[in-house]
Amino acid sequence: MSAPSSLRRWLPLLCLLPFAVFFLVFQVAPLVWVAVNSLNGPNGWGLGNFEKIFASKFYLQAIKHSLQIAFWSSLFGMAIAILGSYSLRQVDSKLRDFVIAFSNMTSNFAGVPLAFAFIILLGFNGALTLLLIQAGLIEGFNLYSKNGLIVLYTYFQIPLGVLLLYPAFDALRQDWRESAALLGAGTWDFWRHIGLPVLTPALLGTFVILLANALGAYATVYYLTTGNFNVLPIRIAAMVSGDISLNPNLASALSMILVGLMVLITIVHQLLLKRSNHVTR
């Protein structure tokens, strides 16, 4: 084998080497460290940390709150994103480009600015809260409760959902709709037999990404509630950085539960995806 051909063969692998090193150092190594330390309990190696978590109503509440907020915010966010993405396909290109650019910007609007904005709008004395109370539409709204956090999470789920779903609607060709109409299919028949089966992989994938985005959210909920609302990221951070409740091994166990939830969600997603592909074929 000549030197030039050998170089052409190994050059792509050499180009991937920095990425491989970065992946191992910042992804694989921390995960292995967390997994190992999750098994290191006060009584030695074992499942003591996990037994403590599942025997504690406090930690179970954190898991429950995280799942509830992630599920409902992802569901509401994706429903609005579906309507928004489909509507964008029907409008003028200039307005479409502006909305896509705005969605891209707002998808990165999180942390302290987002928490501060929602306090001004929907806090106990927020502008929108007072207007709704004066209009008699609500009696009050607690932004710092579970329902308030669902509203907050839904806000930053929408632009991410639009960015992920908008390209998926390119798969729906106009001639399919016209052909279905010529064959006597109505709007509901088109979406049931053509539109939804084609979009199902994108919908399932987007829902999983939104779930992951919500389960791992930390900065916004921390600055909004000053760490007083019981969700998994808050509990993990408190046991890593706290002076009183410092317990990195228990935090590692909670982190592995969070990883396990994401793995379970991904497996369910793959099973549903295979089933949808089978039904489509």
Side-chain angles (χ1 to χ4, degrees):
M1 182 180 293
S2 62
S5 61
S6 177
L7 181 62
R8 285 195 299 268
R9 178 181 178 182
W10 291 102
L11 184 59
L13 295 177
L14 291 175
C15 293
L16 286 175
L17 184 60
F19 172 77
V21 172
F22 181 86
F23 180 77
L24 288 173
V25 172
F26 292 99
Q27 297 290 333
V28 177
L31 181 60
V32 172
W33 186 92
V34 169
V36 170
N37 280 273
S38 68
L39 300 175
N40 185 10
N43 299 322
W45 296 96
L47 300 176
N49 290 322
F50 294 95
E51 293 174 355
K52 181 178 180 180
I53 290 171
F54 288 108
S56 171
K57 294 183 178 179
F58 183 67
Y59 294 126
L60 290 177
Q61 184 190 55
I63 297 172
K64 179 182 176 182
H65 283 169
S66 294
L67 289 174
Q68 288 177 335
I69 294 173
F71 175 79
W72 289 111
S73 64
S74 300
L75 187 64
F76 295 148
M78 195 172 76
I80 299 173
I82 291 172
L83 295 176
S85 301
Y86 178 72
S87 301
L88 285 176
R89 308 300 308 177
Q90 319 300 321
V91 300
D92 181 73
S93 59
K94 292 184 178 180
L95 178 60
R96 184 188 312 150
D97 294 341
F98 171 78
V99 174
I100 292 297
F102 182 76
S103 297
N104 189 28
M105 179 186 69
T106 53
S107 65
N108 298 298
F109 182 63
V112 179
L114 180 60
F116 182 66
F118 265 78
I119 291 172
I120 294 175
L121 285 175
L122 291 172
F124 289 124
N125 295 308
L128 187 56
T129 302
L130 295 178
L131 287 175
L132 293 174
I133 291 175
Q134 291 177 0
L137 298 177
I138 61 173
E139 295 182 358
F141 181 74
N142 185 3
L143 178 63
Y144 313 100
S145 65
K146 182 174 64 177
N147 291 333
L149 288 176
I150 290 175
V151 173
L152 175 64
Y153 277 51
T154 301
Y155 171 83
F156 64 72
Q157 298 279 51
I158 293 172
L160 179 60
V162 169
L163 292 176
L164 293 172
L165 288 175
Y166 175 75
F169 282 91
D170 290 334
L172 295 180
R173 295 165 50 183
Q174 183 62 28
D175 56 339
W176 292 352
R177 182 185 293 272
E178 295 172 355
S179 300
L182 289 174
L183 293 174
T187 302
W188 167 246
D189 294 323
F190 170 79
W191 284 107
R192 179 184 177 187
H193 297 289
I194 300 175
L196 287 178
V198 171
L199 293 176
T200 293
L203 295 176
L204 292 176
T206 300
F207 188 70
V208 170
I209 293 175
L210 293 183
L211 278 175
N213 187 45
L215 281 173
Y218 168 73
T220 303
V221 64
Y222 176 81
Y223 286 109
L224 181 68
T225 64
T226 61
N228 291 321
F229 193 83
N230 195 20
V231 289
L232 275 176
I234 296 294
R235 296 281 66 79
I236 293 171
M239 284 184 285
V240 171
S241 60
D243 295 330
I244 299 176
S245 58
L246 184 63
N247 193 340
N249 293 330
L250 189 60
S252 297
L254 283 172
S255 300
M256 290 308 300
I257 291 174
L258 190 58
V259 171
L261 290 174
M262 286 310 309
V263 170
L264 178 62
I265 292 171
T266 304
I267 292 174
V268 173
H269 161 247
Q270 291 298 322
L271 293 175
L272 292 174
L273 189 59
K274 289 181 180 180
R275 182 177 179 183
S276 67
N277 289 337
H278 174 73
V279 172
T280 302
R281 288 194 296 267

